[in-house]
Amino acid sequence: MTSQVAEATTSPQGTDLLTVGVEEEFLLVDPHTGAAVPAVDLVMEQVPPELRGQVEREFQTSQIEIGTPPGLELHSIRHSLGMLRAELAAAAERAGVRLLAIGTGPVPGPVPPVVDKPRFDRMIERFRLLVPGPGNNGMHVHVGVPDPDTGVQVLNHVRPWLPVLQAVTTNSPFSAGVDTGYASWRSVEWERWPSVAPTPYLASHEHYRRLIRQLIASGVMLDEGMLYWYARLSAKYPTVELRIGDVCPSVDDAVLVAALVRALVATVMADIAEGRPAINTEHHLLVAAHWRAAHDGLEGDGVDLTTGELRPAWELVDRLVDRVRPALAEHGDLAEVTDLLGGLRRHGTGAARQRAVYARTGRLEDVVADVARQTRG
């Protein structure tokens, strides 16, 4: 987590509104071929000094990450994302490369090395060939919670809704020069890591801590930072972190997801306060729902976790929005979310937009150019 996201994550005293912050990971590519390039050090040198606290290296040398300061106002998140993306895209261009908000690289090429960092070296030593491609780029949304016990209850309550949010963010249909058949190939590659999974149903904060200790002892994690559940508590800050999505292609998409995540957390916190229990969704059905979200995105079906049956994915999105509508209104986000959802219906997910460009031109170079345009905004 970048330092800016970590600061001031709890809500100001005297308000029930929740803060939200966003982290985004990007791919660095050759501007001519679209193949991933190990250029993070060159780009970091070009980042303005006043922004370096909000920009970090990621796992591979073809990746770079930004983090917004947390805020109550959605327009402040929009401003931060827009400014950081524009500045980072410009820094990438000065370094001779291009910045892409994309889940994984669509164009074939050599796999860039891992960033030279002792912890990453230990990860490669233990897990070996789990780095399958040019970089997996996600979006993480942090929402402030008052204490860890409440945070664990939030994790239980949000579990059934995370496949819907995953479908909204799908943005990686191409890999190594071919259409994978998935809307989010990043999700498939990411699941190679043994600690990637839906968050289990948790009895208490102590249960959460005990599982972390046991997973580290088992060897599937080096440390708590490798707890790659789709939602988790921050190890250092008073937030829940939802980390299920591909990085979104545009600022509009990212703002929509941030608003929906915050509204979902606010909604379930009201349920918790009123003593309503979380639904203990069966683990394997939850896995199936996440697979379906990665496969179809919003252009097909999703699993209705109340019945186990398939429903049109947009029907599940509408159900989520209806569920969180009061919280959207309370935070002043309802009008903007309604408008952004209309745009998403018209234009499709990032995956659908990439496929539309490829269907028109038959060139992945054009897909890369279009993603770069959306990234910069």
Side-chain angles (χ1 to χ4, degrees):
M1 183 193 300
T2 63
S3 58
Q4 290 293 321
V5 174
E7 297 170 0
T9 51
T10 54
S11 300
Q13 191 171 6
T15 178
D16 292 328
L17 303 183
L18 303 180
T19 58
V20 62
V22 174
E23 296 169 288
E24 293 187 307
E25 299 160 353
F26 302 97
L27 191 67
L28 302 172
V29 303
D30 183 287
H32 305 293
T33 68
V37 288
V40 67
D41 289 339
L42 294 174
V43 176
M44 289 293 290
E45 291 173 1
Q46 298 296 326
V47 174
E50 65 273 15
L51 297 181
R52 288 179 186 169
Q54 295 173 261
V55 181
E56 288 187 351
R57 293 167 179 82
E58 239 296 321
F59 186 63
Q60 286 171 257
T61 52
S62 52
Q63 296 175 280
I64 197 163
E65 178 184 27
I66 64 171
T68 72
L72 289 172
E73 302 292 338
L74 205 58
H75 70 77
S76 69
I77 300 298
R78 174 181 290 280
H79 171 78
S80 294
L81 288 174
M83 179 269 294
L84 286 167
R85 281 176 173 233
E87 291 285 354
L88 196 55
E93 289 167 9
R94 289 193 294 272
V97 298
R98 181 179 263 174
L99 186 77
L100 296 187
I102 196 167
T104 194
V107 176
V111 176
V114 171
V115 168
D116 185 12
K117 186 176 179 180
R119 179 172 179 268
F120 293 165
D121 292 340
R122 292 196 303 274
M123 290 170 68
I124 293 300
E125 181 180 3
R126 178 172 299 181
F127 300 105
R128 296 292 181 177
L129 295 178
L130 291 185
V131 181
N136 296 136
N137 303 300
M139 174 189 186
H140 307 157
V141 182
H142 290 260
V143 181
V145 292
D147 56 75
D149 291 310
T150 301
V152 165
Q153 292 185 72
V154 168
L155 298 182
N156 286 341
H157 279 259
V158 301
R159 291 169 78 240
W161 296 107
L162 297 188
V164 182
L165 292 167
Q166 182 181 7
V168 170
T169 66
T170 48
N171 187 35
S172 50
F174 296 102
S175 178
V178 299
D179 190 322
T180 65
Y182 284 78
S184 174
W185 187 246
R186 179 204 65 88
S187 299
V188 177
E189 290 188 333
W190 183 231
E191 287 173 1
R192 295 187 182 196
W193 292 93
S195 55
V196 174
T199 309
Y201 193 89
L202 300 158
S204 64
H205 183 234
E206 173 51 34
H207 182 203
Y208 180 88
R209 301 303 311 170
R210 184 169 68 252
L211 279 174
I212 291 173
R213 293 192 298 269
Q214 291 169 335
L215 290 170
I216 292 172
S218 78
V220 301
M221 292 165 33
L222 291 179
D223 50 38
E224 189 169 346
M226 284 190 69
L227 186 71
Y228 297 143
W229 291 345
Y230 298 152
R232 68 183 186 183
L233 304 182
S234 169
K236 297 181 180 179
Y237 308 105
T239 65
V240 292
E241 179 186 4
L242 274 63
R243 43 188 298 114
I244 186 56
D246 290 358
V247 65
C248 292
S250 72
V251 170
D252 276 353
D253 299 309
V255 168
L256 171 61
V257 173
L260 289 173
V261 167
R262 175 168 64 177
L264 177 59
V265 173
T267 298
V268 303
M269 284 181 64
D271 289 344
I272 292 164
E274 294 174 12
R276 288 195 284 270
I279 298 171
N280 188 356
T281 304
E282 206 281 325
H283 172 76
H284 291 288
L285 188 59
L286 196 59
V287 169
H290 282 292
W291 176 84
R292 193 80 197 200
H295 186 272
D296 286 22
L298 293 182
E299 284 64 52
D301 292 326
V303 177
D304 181 347
L305 287 169
T306 63
T307 65
E309 298 175 353
L310 289 180
R311 294 281 185 271
W314 267 105
E315 181 180 318
L316 300 178
V317 174
D318 290 338
R319 190 181 299 174
L320 170 62
V321 174
D322 287 344
R323 180 78 176 87
V324 304
R325 190 179 304 276
L328 288 171
E330 183 179 10
H331 284 83
D333 299 341
L334 182 57
E336 183 163 7
V337 165
T338 300
D339 182 60
L340 293 174
L341 280 168
L344 187 64
R345 285 184 191 274
R346 289 191 300 273
H347 305 304
T349 62
R353 288 172 229 169
Q354 289 184 48
R355 283 171 166 152
V357 172
Y358 189 75
R360 289 197 304 271
T361 74
R363 289 168 38 90
L364 284 174
E365 294 88 346
D366 294 331
V367 173
V368 168
D370 189 68
V371 173
R373 176 190 60 77
Q374 293 181 73
T375 301
R376 179 188 274 275

